[in-house]
Amino acid sequence: MSTPARPANRHHRRPRGEGQWALGYREPLNKNEENKKNDDGLNVRQRIIDIYSKGGFDSIDPADLRGRFRWFGLYTQRKPGIDGGKTAILPDEELDDRYFMLRVRIDGGQLSLEQLRTIADISNDYGRGTADVTDRQNIQLHWIEIESVPDIWRRLEAVGLSTTEACGDTPRVILGCPLAGIDAGEVIDGTPQIHEIYDRYVGDKAFSNLPRKFKTAISGCTAHCTVHEINDVAFVGVVNEQGEPGFDVWVGGGLSTNPMFAQRIGAFVRPDQVHEVWAGVTGIFRDYGYRRLRHRARIKFLVNDWGAEKFRQVLETEYLQYALPDGPAPEAPQSGRRDHVGVHPQRDGNFYVGFAPRVGRLDGDTLHRIADIAERHGSARIRTTVEQKMVILDVAPDQVESIVSELEAADLQVNPSTFRRQTMACTGIEYCKIAIVETKATASALIDELERRLPDFAEPLTINVNGCPNSCARIQVADIGLKGQLVANDKGEQVEGFQVHLGGSIGLNPTFGRKVRGLKATAEELPDYVERVARNFEKQRNEGETFAEWVQRADESDLK
């Protein structure tokens, strides 16, 4: 009697589920997913008002403190005096201070004078005067006590601002061009679409439990100032063959420890369709996004696995129930710098004036001063940018010279050096619990030294300083990206320092920065290092060659 053949797949293991809801994996696969299933993050608002603000810090449930609070822009800040070597060692309860960072979302970077003054007052009344402009157009405050949060919300909401879904596994602030509606060269004004998505979906429980954070950009700016290449979803202004302005859709961009550029899905979206397409893309992320491992729970991993063609097919058939027409790619960016710094004409005959705070660091008094300067010169509108800069709109021609003079007197430079203009820094160890090194003070000191040593250096050169590997300051797409870590100095001591990424760029030839083997610098060595590389670039560059292009061909010895 013959022996029955064994099934061919006897030892074949069923692929492990990634927690994708659309495939039936609804049971939480990690602590974060369990917390979100237990209670929607949006529900924490009422507990903050009714319980925590009255009972104080010690009354806060840990699942709310280190989880759901983020749905309203609140993170515990780092306890002072804990060095970077302990960042990954100490538990959260030992790293947590009893104060919070509070992120005010500023969709499209759009602020009225009343809104700016309200943030300034909150900063002075509750945040020890702190105020940082982020590279996502928000303003962050520090030293916030839980008892103060309800009054802060009342003040913000009275002027049309919010912290709702400023953090958390949610649709975060929507980036927009600060010149939307006034730039004579823009392809399309994305402001109506930003407002529609915000009004329809922010705070909607249909999108308040995403696998992780979700970043959006909508812009018709010809300089591509909203860095669409590294957003989860981006709508980029284009004109189709019929001469109609609309948007090209990009999905799956993001940096951190696994950087990926967004991919075009090749579809043309009319302005009235943007909110539907946005909801469809976000719905795909919610339903098909990977929820098993936090480090793979961004839409970029899904897009990378599926490809743009499948992503578009699922969007059209399962979410939109209609096909989108093919459309053109965006035109090449028309500027080497995307920050809108300087004095430039508007379409109405007035001017906008962009200026550079030092690595985004401001304070409540300075915010008031900016509002006062704008008002004295006839402007009622302020904008933030994704480069940690600010712009005053609607300045009459006869007011330009005076407003520039007042801004410069406040150390808000309208004609900054390359180093002041193009150096960014994340929050760093001063307040951030996952940071390893100081960033803001280090970057500020670096600017001063480079201005002293290289006073005539005029080429574009982005220097992005990050306190950890998470790339909040976009180190992989900077000319010089500095990733904070502890390094050994010449005495063998562990000190604050940086791994160096060189030659990152976005735009015509997007590329991630090159890591040169063994290339690290202590914080103390940074000015010497950057000066040396900048001088080598000046000596060796060809006509019209960018720093990123030079890095690709430079000898390693010239990069160290």
Side-chain angles (χ1 to χ4, degrees), residues 187 238-246 268:
V187 178
V238 293
V239 177
N240 67 12
E241 291 182 354
Q242 289 72 44
E244 300 170 311
F268 178 80

Side-chain angles (χ1 to χ4, degrees), residues 187-202:
V187 178
I188 187 172
D189 179 0
T191 302
Q193 287 68 45
I194 292 173
H195 289 169
E196 186 166 27
I197 290 172
Y198 180 88
D199 291 342
R200 283 176 177 266
Y201 303 119
V202 172

Side-chain angles (χ1 to χ4, degrees), residues 198-212:
Y198 180 88
D199 291 342
R200 283 176 177 266
Y201 303 119
V202 172
D204 182 347
K205 289 188 177 180
F207 299 111
S208 62
N209 181 355
L210 302 179
R212 277 196 74 186

Side-chain angles (χ1 to χ4, degrees), residues 195-260:
H195 289 169
E196 186 166 27
I197 290 172
Y198 180 88
D199 291 342
R200 283 176 177 266
Y201 303 119
V202 172
D204 182 347
K205 289 188 177 180
F207 299 111
S208 62
N209 181 355
L210 302 179
R212 277 196 74 186
K213 57 190 170 184
F214 188 71
K215 299 180 177 181
T216 303
I218 303 174
S219 174
C221 173
T222 57
H224 297 177
C225 70
T226 57
V227 291
H228 61 272
E229 302 95 330
I230 52 174
N231 278 270
D232 295 294
V233 62
F235 296 84
V236 186
V238 293
V239 177
N240 67 12
E241 291 182 354
Q242 289 72 44
E244 300 170 311
F247 296 91
D248 188 44
V249 186
W250 296 58
V251 293
L255 298 178
S256 193
T257 52
N258 288 282
M260 299 181 195

